[in-house]
Amino acid sequence: MGFRGMTSGGAAGAMANAPATAVWSKTCQVLKRELGDATFGSWLGHAALRETADEVCVVAATGIARDWIRHNAWRRIGELWAQNDPLNRRLDLKCRTEVDSASLTAHPLVAANAPGSAPQPAAVPMSAPVFEIEAEAVAPVAARQGRLQGLQERYTFDTFVSGPANEFAFAVARRVASWADGHFNPVVFHGPYGFGKTHLLNALAWEAMRTGGPGKRVVYLSAERFTSTFVNAIQTRQTAAFKDELRNADLLLIDDVHFVAGKTQTQEELFHTLIALVEDGRRVVLTADRSPTEISEMEPRLRSHLQMGLVCGIEPADRSLRLGILERKLNTLAQQGGFVPAARAEVLQFLADRFTDSVRELEGALNTLVARVGGDIARLSLDEAQAILRPHLSVNERKVTVDMIQKVVAEHYALKQADLISERRARAVARPRQVAMWLAKQITTRSLPDIGRRFGGRDHTTVLHAVRRIEQLKGEDATIARDIDVLLRKLRG
C-alpha cells in the first residue's frame, strides 16, 4: 500500500531538494492536532521514517501499530503527504519486522516528544497447583473454579471499553492473548489505581485460555500472592516445586508487580523466573502502578529486565470513554436486574464529569444509584442523583473556590486572571471565560448570580448561557472536552 504526492510541477521545482523528513514533519504536525497527543503517541510516537533511493516508508514500531495506522489514519496521512510533498514521492507503510533493520536510517517523526480480587489463603501445599490455570477447551468455568485463584469472570475483552486512553494497551493484550508471533517480551502495562490494568490482565488470561487449547499453560497471580507463596515454599522447603510451577508456564501473568519492590528475596526469585521464561521463549505480562523506571525501590537489574520488552502506559479515561464505560455498566446492571438500560443523559454526564480519576469509582457511583432506585434510574433527575451521591462526593473533597478556578483556567489558556473578569470579548478570552463559569457551576456551591458577580459583575443569564454553551461543546469539540478533563483533574487534586 502506498501514496504518491500530486502537486504542480512549479511547486516541485521550487522545492526540488525537499527532504522527506521535512515533508513528514509538516504532516505530523497536523496529525498530532487531529488525533491528539495520547493517540498520536501510542500509535505513531515510536515509528521511524525510512528513506532510500527507491521509496520513502513509514516504519511502525509493531505490526499492531501498523495495522491501526492503516485502518484509522492512512488515508488522512496520504492526503497530508500529497499536500506537502512537491516531489511526488511514493509513501509506503511497513512494520519493523518487515524491513532490514541494518539498512534503516531512522528519523523521529517529530523532533520533540508529544507532550481487587478475593482474599487468598496464606499457605497452600505445593503438591496441588496454587495458581495454575490450564486452558481447557470444553470444561465449564464452574468445574475449574478451584484453580482460578482470583481470576474474575466479569473481566473479559467483551466487557472492556476501549478508547484513546487505553486502545494501544488493549490491542497489545489482544495480540498476546492470541499467541501471535512477533510479540515483545515481557509486556508491562502501567497506570495508577483504577485505570483498568487488572481488567485487562484478567481478560488476557481468559482469552489466552480460550485460544491456546489444552496444550497451553497459563499462570495468573498477583505479586502479593507470588510473594506469600514463595515465602511459604521457603518455609516448607518446597522452592523447587514453586519454581517448576512458574517456569513451566507458557504464559505468566503477574498483577501489581510494584508490590515486590523492597523485598530482596522475592525480587531475586522474580528476576530469575523472568529470565528463565523469556530465554525459553515463554511469555510474560505484568502490571504496575507506574513505569518500571519510576519504581525506585526495585532492584536495578530486575527493573532493567522489565523495561527490555514493551512498557505500555494506560492513561486516564477521557470523557467519551467514561461515558462508554457507564453505558456498558448500565447494560450489565439492567440485564442482572431485569430493567430497561436507560438513564437521563444529564445524569450520566454528571457522573462522567465528577468521577474522573478511577474507573472503579465511576462504576461504583452508578452501582450506588441503581442499588437505591433500581429500574427507576431512567426517571432519576440530576438533582436526585446528586442527593443520593452527596455522601460519596463529600469524602476527601477538595475545597475549590471560584478564585482557584479562575487562576487554573487562566494558566491553562496562557491568560491573566484579570482577562477572565474583564470586558474583553475576543474568542481567545471569551471561551476560556465560559469554561471557567461552567467549572464554577459544576464544582462549587455558588449560585449563578454569585458566579456572575465574581466574573466582573456579569448577569446570571450570562453565566447560564456559558454553562449551556460549554455543555453543548463538550459533545461536539474534542479540544474543549480534553481541556475540561485536564482542568477538572488539576482542580480536584
Side-chain angles (χ1 to χ4, degrees):
M1 175 182 288
F3 289 111
R4 190 175 296 282
M6 297 169 59
T7 55
S8 67
M15 293 181 64
N17 295 318
T21 48
V23 178
W24 185 249
S25 244
K26 292 181 181 179
T27 301
C28 285
Q29 287 172 11
V30 179
L31 282 174
K32 200 170 165 193
R33 285 199 305 269
E34 294 180 351
L35 294 174
D37 288 347
T39 301
F40 182 91
S42 292
W43 300 105
L44 286 158
H46 299 288
L49 194 68
R50 178 183 187 269
E51 183 178 7
T52 67
D54 301 321
E55 69 172 2
V56 180
C57 183
V58 177
V59 183
T62 67
I64 299 170
R66 176 205 59 205
D67 293 343
W68 186 92
I69 294 168
R70 178 175 292 138
H71 287 106
N72 296 280
W74 192 237
R75 177 176 294 181
R76 180 59 175 152
I77 288 172
E79 293 171 353
L80 295 171
W81 180 263
Q83 292 170 13
N84 292 309
D85 182 29
L87 301 182
N88 198 29
R89 285 169 288 201
R90 178 180 176 82
L91 184 67
D92 284 322
L93 174 65
K94 298 178 182 177
C95 67
R96 288 182 185 172
T97 58
E98 294 176 314
V99 298
D100 180 5
S101 59
S103 67
L104 277 179
T105 303
H107 306 281
L109 290 177
V110 179
N113 291 331
S117 60
Q120 307 297 334
V124 180
M126 291 302 297
S127 56
V130 292
F131 37 67
E132 177 187 344
I133 309 161
E134 293 185 2
E136 300 179 53
V138 295
V141 170
R144 307 198 312 255
Q145 287 294 336
R147 299 206 299 257
L148 293 182
Q149 298 295 336
L151 202 62
Q152 300 181 58
E153 288 185 65
R154 64 193 178 98
Y155 287 155
T156 67
F157 284 138
D158 288 338
T159 60
F160 189 88
V161 182
S162 66
N166 60 26
E167 62 183 348
F168 182 66
F170 182 62
V172 171
R174 293 297 296 258
R175 187 166 180 83
V176 174
S178 70
W179 302 94
D181 293 330
H183 66 286
F184 291 93
N185 206 11
V187 173
V188 180
F189 298 117
H190 70 88
Y193 172 85
F195 279 31
K197 303 183 302 296
T198 297
H199 189 151
L200 200 61
L201 204 64
N202 273 251
L204 200 164
W206 289 119
E207 184 70 6
M209 287 192 294
R210 188 185 69 81
T211 59
K216 296 291 188 180
R217 298 181 69 243
V218 179
V219 171
Y220 172 94
L221 69 162
S222 67
E224 182 178 6
R225 181 148 181 81
F226 178 98
T227 301
S228 63
T229 310
F230 175 58
V231 170
N232 182 64
I234 293 175
Q235 293 172 346
T236 58
R237 299 183 180 181
Q238 297 188 58
T239 54
F242 174 84
K243 293 177 181 180
D244 287 344
E245 286 288 342
L246 293 180
R247 299 181 192 183
N248 287 325
D250 294 290
L251 172 61
L252 174 63
L253 307 166
I254 299 181
D255 201 10
D256 293 332
V257 71
H258 53 271
F259 180 83
V260 307
K263 299 174 174 63
T264 304
Q265 282 187 295
T266 304
Q267 289 185 87
E268 179 82 10
E269 181 58 32
L270 179 58
F271 171 77
H272 289 297
T273 297
L274 180 63
I275 294 298
L277 289 170
V278 171
E279 288 183 350
D280 201 27
R282 300 169 189 268
R283 306 175 186 213
V284 182
V285 183
L286 312 100
T287 69
D289 64 354
R290 67 212 115 133
S291 171
T293 59
E294 299 173 358
I295 309 177
S296 57
E297 310 89 352
M298 185 170 282
E299 184 182 331
R301 62 175 181 170
L302 175 57
R303 187 168 62 238
S304 175
H305 276 78
L306 291 178
Q307 294 174 251
M308 72 182 182
L310 175 63
V311 178
C312 184
I314 301 178
E315 300 179 9
D318 61 16
R319 187 172 189 268
S320 62
L321 180 54
R322 293 196 297 272
L323 286 170
I325 291 169
L326 288 170
E327 290 172 3
R328 176 66 64 85
K329 182 67 176 179
L330 183 58
N331 282 332
T332 300
L333 293 172
Q335 289 176 1
Q336 295 170 349
F339 60 86
V340 177
R344 293 185 180 182
E346 61 187 19
V347 171
L348 296 182
Q349 289 167 0
F350 163 72
L351 296 178
D353 289 332
R354 175 57 185 82
F355 297 93
T356 60
D357 294 329
S358 167
V359 172
R360 289 191 180 96
E361 291 178 3
L362 179 67
E363 292 184 334
L366 183 59
N367 286 339
T368 299
L369 295 181
V370 172
R372 286 286 296 273
V373 303
D376 287 336
I377 191 170
R379 294 187 290 275
L380 191 70
S381 70
L382 177 58
D383 287 342
E384 291 169 335
Q386 289 175 329
I388 292 172
L389 293 173
R390 188 163 291 123
H392 304 274
L393 299 177
S394 61
V395 175
N396 298 323
E397 181 76 354
R398 178 183 176 185
K399 181 66 175 177
V400 179
T401 65
V402 175
D403 183 65
M404 289 170 57
I405 291 171
Q406 290 174 345
K407 288 177 180 177
V408 170
V409 170
E411 180 184 4
H412 180 80
Y413 287 103
L415 298 170
K416 297 177 181 177
Q417 186 176 356
D419 292 330
L420 298 180
I421 60 177
S422 71
E423 294 298 322
R424 293 179 59 189
R425 296 186 179 182
R427 185 183 182 88
V429 176
R431 187 69 77 224
R433 182 186 295 129
Q434 289 179 326
V435 169
M437 289 179 175
W438 182 90
L439 288 166
K441 175 65 174 65
Q442 295 297 314
I443 57 178
T444 75
T445 58
R446 300 294 179 183
S447 65
L448 293 179
D450 195 9
I451 292 171
R453 283 192 293 270
R454 292 166 189 270
F455 279 86
R458 285 174 165 80
D459 189 81
H460 77 279
T461 58
T462 303
V463 181
L464 182 59
H465 170 73
V467 170
R468 289 174 175 172
R469 182 60 178 150
I470 296 303
E471 280 292 339
Q472 177 186 355
L473 288 175
K474 281 192 304 176
E476 300 173 355
D477 189 324
T479 301
I480 290 291
R482 283 196 298 270
D483 286 347
I484 288 174
D485 260 356
V486 171
L487 291 166
L488 283 169
R489 292 180 198 285
K490 287 181 179 179
L491 289 165
R492 286 173 174 154

